[in-house]
Amino acid sequence: MKHPLCVKHPPSVKYARSFLSELIRKHEAVHTEPLDELYEALAEILTTEEPTQCHRSYLLPSGDSVTLSESTAIISHGTTGLVTWNAALYLAEWAMENPAAFTNRTVLELGSGAGLTGLAICKTCRPRAYVFSDCHSRVLQQLRGNVLLNGLSLQPSITTPAQHPGHDTPDTESPRVTVAQLDWDIVTVSQLAALQPDVVIATDVLYCPETVLSLVGVLQKLSACRKDQRAPDAYVAFTVRNPDTCQLFTTELGQAGIPWEEVPHHDQKLFPYEEHSEMAILKLML
């Protein structure tokens, strides 16, 4: 609670209350008198109203951190994209263990949400360029804020084909970062081609049949947008909530002629997870 990051970017009141109460309980369970400071902090939190926005900060192995401004409600403004979901943490962990998949490459993220995965990749995997994307205006507004909050500078939104730099090592440590409004059903092959991604990622976007069909549709467009070059690698991470939805995704990929393989599981030791549910990452060959 007194960590400089938490003082500067306070977590939710609910989280602070739960954390302090648990810490006091642990002291009392071993008959150790908790510090007065703990009771004082809890008393202060109990009289604090929960705001609509809070912060979550994640410490990275490099010593750096990612801080996100998030909604305190799971669903707000008609979207679930204002909070971080487990598969975002899972893919971020995998990326940090496999940085070569992203180093010196242009990454397009579909349905970026609060931005955890992309910010972790930008800070630890040295991509050449990173395109966060979403279709919801409120999510895009929060995303832009989170990119700036983490010390990255934003390029203007992409509306015309950008000059694509060569595959040399970038001049600076920071990648070229853009936030783009991208509706999977409306976006055209030429608009996707303008982004020229080498890698495409998506996390926790398989939550209903409609989004599965839209996702496969945009993946088909991505596979068609680089006819003269190798198609981008794609990684889709998800929590297995409804096996039928996951089955629909792999079936639709098969019908679209997109081969896939499951990425081996890795230890979930870096981030705290809200729940212990089964997660998976599929690598797609577009």
Side-chain angles (χ1 to χ4, degrees):
M1 298 307 299
K2 300 294 183 186
H3 191 287
L5 262 178
C6 287
V7 172
K8 189 176 179 184
H9 305 297
S12 76
V13 171
K14 181 184 174 186
Y15 176 85
R17 190 170 59 236
S18 301
F19 175 77
L20 290 167
S21 301
E22 182 67 15
L23 197 53
I24 290 169
R25 264 199 300 275
K26 283 183 183 294
H27 278 89
E28 291 171 342
V30 292
H31 306 291
T32 304
E33 186 60 35
L35 290 171
D36 287 345
E37 195 179 4
L38 284 176
Y39 288 116
E40 287 162 11
L42 182 60
E44 188 182 331
I45 283 294
L46 290 173
T47 58
T48 305
E49 269 192 47
E50 185 76 87
T52 55
Q53 289 286 119
C54 66
H55 293 90
R56 284 189 190 219
S57 295
Y58 299 90
L59 300 178
L60 306 178
S62 60
D64 206 340
S65 60
V66 171
T67 295
L68 303 171
S69 173
E70 293 190 355
S71 168
T72 49
I74 289 176
I75 298 176
S76 60
H77 300 280
T79 178
T80 55
L82 295 167
V83 295
T84 299
W85 296 87
N86 277 351
L89 302 173
Y90 190 65
L91 186 59
E93 279 182 339
W94 182 84
M96 284 185 269
E97 289 177 13
N98 299 274
F102 305 97
T103 302
N104 289 345
R105 306 182 86 190
T106 295
V107 185
L108 167 62
E109 183 177 5
L110 301 171
S112 298
L116 181 275
T117 309
L119 290 166
I121 289 172
C122 286
K123 289 196 170 201
T124 60
C125 301
R126 300 189 64 219
R128 184 199 312 109
Y130 200 98
V131 182
F132 293 88
S133 75
D134 214 286
C135 67
H136 196 284
S137 58
R138 192 61 185 248
V139 174
L140 292 166
Q141 181 186 338
Q142 182 179 271
L143 255 176
R144 290 187 194 98
N146 282 338
V147 168
L148 299 173
L149 187 63
N150 284 275
L152 295 166
S153 53
L154 269 174
Q155 302 286 327
S157 290
I158 299 169
T159 49
T160 55
Q163 191 63 38
H164 197 55
H167 284 254
D168 308 314
T169 306
D171 295 334
T172 59
E173 288 294 310
S174 290
R176 285 161 23 97
V177 178
T178 45
V179 173
Q181 184 153 23
L182 200 155
D183 185 316
W184 301 348
D185 297 325
I186 295 169
V187 70
T188 64
V189 171
S190 61
Q191 285 169 331
L192 291 169
L195 304 177
Q196 294 191 283
D198 303 305
V199 187
V200 177
I201 66 168
T203 68
D204 261 328
V205 292
L206 305 180
Y207 45 85
C208 69
E210 291 76 19
T211 59
V212 169
L213 298 176
S214 294
L215 177 62
V216 173
V218 79
L219 291 169
Q220 281 181 292
K221 292 174 194 174
L222 282 160
S223 68
C225 78
R226 296 188 71 171
K227 288 195 175 80
D228 53 332
Q229 301 166 50
R230 204 183 115 207
D233 295 328
Y235 299 92
V236 178
F238 52 92
T239 303
V240 183
R241 292 187 185 88
N242 181 343
D244 291 345
T245 308
C246 301
Q247 180 65 53
L248 174 65
F249 181 51
T250 54
T251 301
E252 289 294 324
L253 286 175
Q255 290 183 352
I258 299 173
W260 58 273
E261 63 186 26
E262 188 164 350
V263 172
H265 285 273
H266 62 268
D267 292 333
Q268 295 165 233
K269 57 183 181 290
L270 184 56
F271 296 123
Y273 287 81
E274 298 273 320
E275 52 182 315
H276 289 285
S277 43
E278 186 188 346
M279 277 176 284
I281 300 172
L282 299 188
K283 180 180 181 180
L284 317 181
M285 288 60 112
L286 298 181

